[in-house]
Structures are given as structure tokens and as C-alpha cells.
């Protein structure tokens, strides 16, 4: 299960024996998508995350959700790099920015 994968101690770092991961979160409930993506960022070494895709199934585009997910991507929630915890204050400088990992898709039924 994904929970067991993310709980593993060897999730730290990446390389030939520790590949990066892509996470896809699919749902139709805005709050559940947001909390799932936030949980991924809080509990996974950002060095291991390649991409996080949030797919809103059966829902039209939600600009507020996109904005909230971009804030998580920019460091608004506590996260970590290896064993170093990290959280960004408002007004992140370019030296503190991470690569853009979150991508949002919507598919209206």
C-alpha cells in the first residue's frame, strides 16, 4: 500500500537504489484532495518527490484549490529535505523556492 511505502525508513534520499516517486491523488472532494496532497508533502522527503498530480474527477476547474495547492508546493506546510525539516514564511525568496512539483488537472464528467 502507498502508506507502507511512505512510512519506510529508506524513503530518504534518491539515486539508483532509491528512485524518485510520482504521486497521483484523484478525487471529487476539494478538502480531501487538499489534505491528501498536504500529507504527501508533510511525510515524504521532497528530494524523493518527482511530481504530485491532483486530479479533480467530475469537477470543473477550481482556482481556489489550485491556489491552495500552489501554496503547499511553495513551502507553506512543514516538509523536509533528507533529515532537515523546512518550512517557509510568507514572502518566499527565490533562494528558498523549490521546483514546481504539484500539477492540477480537472475532468468534468
Amino acid at each position: 500500500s502507498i502508506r507502507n511505502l511512505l512510512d519506510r525508513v529508506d524513503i530518504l534520499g534518491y539515486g539508483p537504489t532509491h528512485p524518485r516517486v510520482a504521486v497521483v491523488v484523484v478525487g471529487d472532494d476539494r478538502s480531501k484532495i487538499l489534505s491528501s496532497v498536504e500529507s504527501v508533502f508533510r511525510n515524504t522527503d521532497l528530494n524523493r518527490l518527482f511530481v504530485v498530480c491532483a486530479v479533480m474527477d467530475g469537477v470543473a476547474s477550481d482556482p481556489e484549490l489550485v491556489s491552495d495547492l500552489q501554496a503547499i508546493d511553495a513551502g507553506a506546510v512543514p516538509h523536509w529535505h533528507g533529515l532537515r525539516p523546512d518550512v517557509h514564511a510568507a514572502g518566499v525568496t527565490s533562494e528558498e523556492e523549490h521546483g514546481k512539483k504539484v500539477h492540477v488537472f480537472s475532468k468534468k464528467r
Side-chain angles (χ1 to χ4, degrees), residues 7-43:
D7 282 342
R8 291 174 51 166
V9 174
D10 65 351
I11 197 116
L12 298 175
Y14 66 95
T17 60
H18 295 81
R20 295 175 82 185
V21 296
V23 177
V24 179
V25 176
V26 180
D28 58 3
D29 183 301
R30 179 188 188 289
S31 64
K32 289 180 181 177
I33 292 172
L34 192 58
S35 67
S36 295
V37 171
E38 184 174 326
S39 177
V40 168
F41 273 76
R42 285 183 184 272
N43 296 299

Side-chain angles (χ1 to χ4, degrees), residues 31 33-42 46 49 52 65-79 88 98-102:
S31 64
I33 292 172
L34 192 58
S35 67
S36 295
V37 171
E38 184 174 326
S39 177
V40 168
F41 273 76
R42 285 183 184 272
L46 285 194
L49 284 176
V52 177
L65 176 62
V66 172
S67 177
D68 291 344
L69 291 171
Q70 287 172 340
I72 291 171
D73 199 13
V77 299
H79 55 277
H88 300 258
H98 301 122
K100 303 298 181 224
K101 297 181 183 289
V102 175

